[in-house]
C-alpha cells in the first residue's frame, strides 16, 4: 500500500527548514514540455543509481543457504517446561535434540 504524502502549501515551523528557506523556494508546476524532456534517474546518473542499488541489496541479514522454517507445533506442557527450564537458547537445544532423534 502506498501512502500519498500530504501536499504542503504553507510554511510549518519545526520541520528542519526556516521560513526564509521556504520563501526562497519557487516550484511552479511543470509544463508539458518539461515533463516530456525528463529522463529516468538511472539514465542521467548511472553510477549513483548503481551505488544506491548495491547499498539497498547489502542491507539486512546476509542470506542463509538453508534458512530455518517457522512451524506450529503442539507439545506437551511438561516437555516444553523442561526445555525452557534449561535456560537461554532452549529453542536451539530443542532443535539439536530433534536432529539427533531424526538421525541427522
Amino acid at each position: 500500500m502506498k501512502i500519498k504524502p500530504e501536499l504542503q502549501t504553507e510554511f510549518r515551523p519545526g520541520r528542519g527548514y526556516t521560513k526564509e528557506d521556504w520563501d526562497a523556494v519557487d516550484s511552479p508546476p511543470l509544463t508539458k514540455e518539461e515533463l516530456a524532456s525528463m529522463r529516468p534517474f538511472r539514465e542521467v546518473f548511472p553510477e549513483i543509481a548503481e551505488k544506491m542499488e548495491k547499498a539497498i541489496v547489502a542491507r539486512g541479514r546476509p542470506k542463509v543457504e538453508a534458512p530455518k522454517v517457522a512451524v506450529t507445533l503442539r507439545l506437551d506442557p511438561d516437555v516444553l517446561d523442561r526445555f525452557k527450564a534449561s535456560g537461554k537458547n532452549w529453542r536451539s537445544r530443542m532443535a539439536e535434540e530433534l536432529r539427533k532423534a531424526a538421525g541427522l
Side-chain angles (χ1 to χ4, degrees):
M1 173 173 38
K2 209 171 193 183
I3 299 173
K4 191 173 182 179
E6 177 187 343
L7 182 62
Q8 195 171 332
T9 58
E10 58 187 47
F11 173 72
R12 295 186 200 162
R15 296 196 169 224
Y17 49 85
T18 65
K19 175 81 166 106
E20 292 77 27
D21 292 337
W22 177 265
D23 292 338
V25 174
D26 181 26
S27 299
L30 297 172
T31 65
K32 289 182 180 180
E33 293 80 23
E34 289 172 324
L35 286 170
S37 70
M38 291 185 165
R39 297 183 351 226
F41 180 83
R42 176 187 312 287
E43 187 179 306
V44 179
F45 302 106
E47 299 86 13
I48 297 173
E50 186 177 341
K51 286 181 183 178
M52 289 170 66
E53 284 179 5
K54 286 180 182 177
I56 290 170
V57 170
R59 292 189 331 192
R61 288 184 172 205
K63 299 292 181 200
V64 184
E65 193 173 303
K68 294 191 177 190
V69 179
V71 296
T72 300
L73 179 65
R74 297 173 67 86
L75 298 170
D76 293 326
D78 57 339
V79 172
L80 187 59
D81 290 342
R82 173 70 61 94
F83 276 97
K84 284 184 174 182
S86 68
K88 198 174 179 180
N89 297 327
W90 63 270
R91 290 177 185 86
S92 298
R93 283 190 290 285
M94 182 182 279
E96 188 57 39
E97 290 297 323
L98 287 169
R99 289 180 69 78
K100 287 180 193 174
L104 300 175

